[in-house]
Amino acid sequence: MFWALLLFEIKTRLWRLSALCYLAVFLLFGFFISLATAGVIPGAHFSFGASNKLCLNSPFAIHQLVAVGGYFGLLIMAPIFGQSINQDFEQRFSQVLFATPLKKSTYFFVRYLGSAISCLVILSFIAVGNFLTTLMPFVDRAKICQAQFGFYAAPYLTDIIPNTMMFGAIFIAIAALTKRMAPVYLSSIVVFTSCLIARIISVHADRTLSALLDPLGLVAANLVTRYWSIMEQSQLTVPLTDVFLYNRILWGGLGAIILLVAYTLFDPFKLPKERALKTSAPDTPSNGALAAISLPEVKLAPFSMRILWGLALSEFKLAISNIHLRMILLCGVIFVLSTSGQVGKAFGTETLPVTYNVLEAIDGPFQLFVIIMTTFYAGELAWKERDAHFSELVDSKPVLSLHLYLSQLFMLFFLQIL
């Protein structure tokens, strides 16, 4: 039963439209980054700290490409792992599901392993994109060495698989305990920001300590291969030794602990808490008779611009009162503060922190969080009424669909200005 359910879970995950889009994105990521590494795209070049003389399918170049791609894979792990459990509670199917002779352990670990394998299949297309680049006739053959399967398998064994299992444990733990998707998305943003900050701090901190504290293992892998020659980078895969091994054991063990704690605390029969609505009792006369209620006159004005701006301001007020928005903004501010030490420094040379230097240091890093915030709330706005089972009532109101759309679009503008 376990293996049949696991196979069904994997098939269901991979044949979803979202999974196919993720797969295409990472395939194109590996393909175009490899093209830029080969110097095919004018004005674009990626080396990931390697020499320009290194082949684009050398073990070191493949490891750097796959590791960086896996870093952005954090953003797809959250919806895949989180939705695997949240979907049953969101659709009110959990009570029916657990009325069957299905063990909690079977349910929990089928969801976890099915999501992990699905993520690994999607991220494997980073290597497929690199391999397709080597087959292109317009790529300089001097930039291509003899392909070996071990070159592509090594970064997945040392980086992608451990990271997927560890971060997947975090995301599925949050989904299992909260039974909501918003905290899962927020945790992915926090983890993503923490890894960015760790990379920046590692430049000035003790190398061994920063290598151990990097959850992705990128700093540890770079430390192990720091003094490799071009010959070694072209022939040797990154070995799982020294601080790199200790990093994998440390974070892998932490992920296993989080997974076991989440499984222990997970209660399949506990429904997510509903938000309490604050209502005030109507005023009634002391004799118990019902008082007459005067209702304001309602005028149907679907073309009114007043309705449009009222809807936009209402959506904006709801958004800024949301704790998730405040956490995203807090992550952005913390990241900007962590990078502010680079203000006035150009290639190691100290300069005065004049206005344009400060603006460049602030504008660049914070743009990422503006994109994250806009993407998050665009999805929230599109599904808000349907998640609350309120969409049919909204559609029955005498308001233009164009006004509903424009009010949400204006709200996103207001958020970006904020």
Side-chain angles (χ1 to χ4, degrees), residues 35-359:
L35 285 181
T37 304
V40 175
I41 303 177
H45 180 73
F46 291 90
S47 62
F48 299 115
S51 171
N52 294 334
K53 300 179 181 179
L54 200 63
C55 296
L56 62 91
N57 62 337
S58 63
F60 185 80
I62 293 174
H63 184 276
Q64 295 293 89
L65 172 67
V66 172
V68 173
Y71 175 63
F72 291 100
L74 288 174
L75 299 178
I76 72 162
M77 292 180 193
I80 291 177
F81 278 94
Q83 195 63 31
S84 64
I85 284 185
N86 179 72
Q87 62 184 359
D88 298 320
F89 295 91
E90 184 181 277
Q91 302 298 329
R92 309 293 181 182
F93 187 67
S94 58
Q95 301 299 305
V96 177
L97 184 65
F98 291 106
T100 63
L102 178 66
K103 296 180 180 179
K104 184 179 86 167
S105 58
T106 301
Y107 171 81
F108 186 85
F109 289 106
V110 160
R111 295 298 197 198
Y112 173 70
L113 292 176
S115 301
I117 295 173
S118 301
C119 287
L120 293 176
V121 172
I122 292 172
L123 294 177
S124 68
F125 276 80
I126 302 173
V128 174
N130 178 272
F131 178 73
L132 291 177
T133 306
T134 62
L135 304 179
M136 297 295 104
F138 48 81
V139 176
D140 186 5
R141 309 318 293 178
K143 297 287 294 183
I144 301 174
C145 58
Q146 184 177 1
Q148 296 185 25
F149 178 76
F151 293 171
Y152 291 100
Y156 286 91
L157 294 175
T158 59
D159 291 72
I160 300 300
I161 293 178
N163 290 340
T164 301
M165 304 301 286
M166 180 193 65
F167 289 113
I170 296 175
F171 297 142
I172 204 169
I174 296 174
L177 299 180
T178 63
K179 299 180 177 66
R180 296 182 184 277
M181 281 303 298
V184 179
Y185 290 131
L186 181 60
S187 65
S188 69
I189 297 171
V190 172
V191 170
F192 189 83
T193 307
S194 302
C195 293
L196 278 175
I197 295 175
R199 292 279 293 171
I200 296 171
I201 295 176
S202 65
V203 177
H204 306 286
D206 179 74
R207 291 192 180 95
T208 302
L209 179 61
S210 60
L212 288 174
L213 296 181
D214 177 25
L216 292 170
L218 294 174
V219 178
N222 291 335
L223 187 60
V224 171
T225 60
R226 187 180 182 194
Y227 297 108
W228 277 16
S229 63
I230 296 180
M231 182 68 69
E232 290 173 315
Q233 293 178 356
S234 302
Q235 297 179 353
L236 302 178
T237 59
V238 179
L240 193 61
T241 58
D242 298 333
V243 69
F244 192 27
L245 176 61
Y246 303 146
N247 175 278
R248 301 290 79 190
I249 294 175
L250 172 63
W251 291 101
L254 180 62
I257 294 173
I258 293 174
L259 184 66
L260 292 177
V261 171
Y263 169 73
T264 304
L265 299 179
F266 173 56
D267 184 1
F269 298 101
K270 184 178 180 181
L271 295 175
K273 294 181 179 179
E274 299 291 342
R275 181 177 297 178
L277 297 177
K278 295 181 179 179
T279 58
S280 57
D283 295 332
T284 56
S286 58
N287 58 5
L290 292 176
I293 302 175
S294 60
L295 296 176
E297 182 181 359
V298 178
K299 295 182 179 181
L300 300 181
F303 296 95
S304 173
M305 291 300 296
R306 183 178 179 182
I307 293 179
L308 173 62
W309 289 111
L311 288 173
L313 291 176
S314 175
E315 296 283 3
F316 179 68
K317 290 178 181 178
L318 287 175
I320 61 177
S321 64
N322 195 320
I323 185 63
H324 301 117
L325 172 67
R326 299 175 185 178
M327 292 300 296
I328 294 174
L329 291 178
L330 179 62
C331 289
V333 171
I334 292 175
F335 181 67
V336 168
L337 290 176
S338 66
T339 59
S340 62
Q342 303 302 316
V343 175
K345 295 180 181 179
F347 302 102
T349 302
E350 296 282 351
T351 61
L352 293 176
V354 293
T355 303
Y356 75 90
N357 277 335
V358 176
L359 292 179

Side-chain angles (χ1 to χ4, degrees), residues 350-398:
E350 296 282 351
T351 61
L352 293 176
V354 293
T355 303
Y356 75 90
N357 277 335
V358 176
L359 292 179
E360 287 177 357
I362 293 175
D363 177 68
F366 198 75
Q367 287 300 315
L368 175 63
F369 293 91
V370 174
I371 295 173
I372 290 174
M373 180 183 64
T374 305
T375 305
F376 178 82
Y377 271 96
E380 285 289 305
L381 287 172
W383 288 93
K384 182 181 62 176
E385 289 87 5
R386 278 171 282 186
D387 287 342
H389 305 286
F390 196 69
S391 57
E392 294 182 356
L393 291 177
V394 173
D395 292 337
S396 67
K397 295 296 181 181

Side-chain angles (χ1 to χ4, degrees), residues 22-31 69 72-73 76 122-123 125-126:
Y22 296 150
L23 188 147
V25 166
F26 283 100
L27 175 65
L28 295 176
F29 173 84
F31 182 75
F72 291 100
I76 72 162
I122 292 172
L123 294 177
F125 276 80
I126 302 173

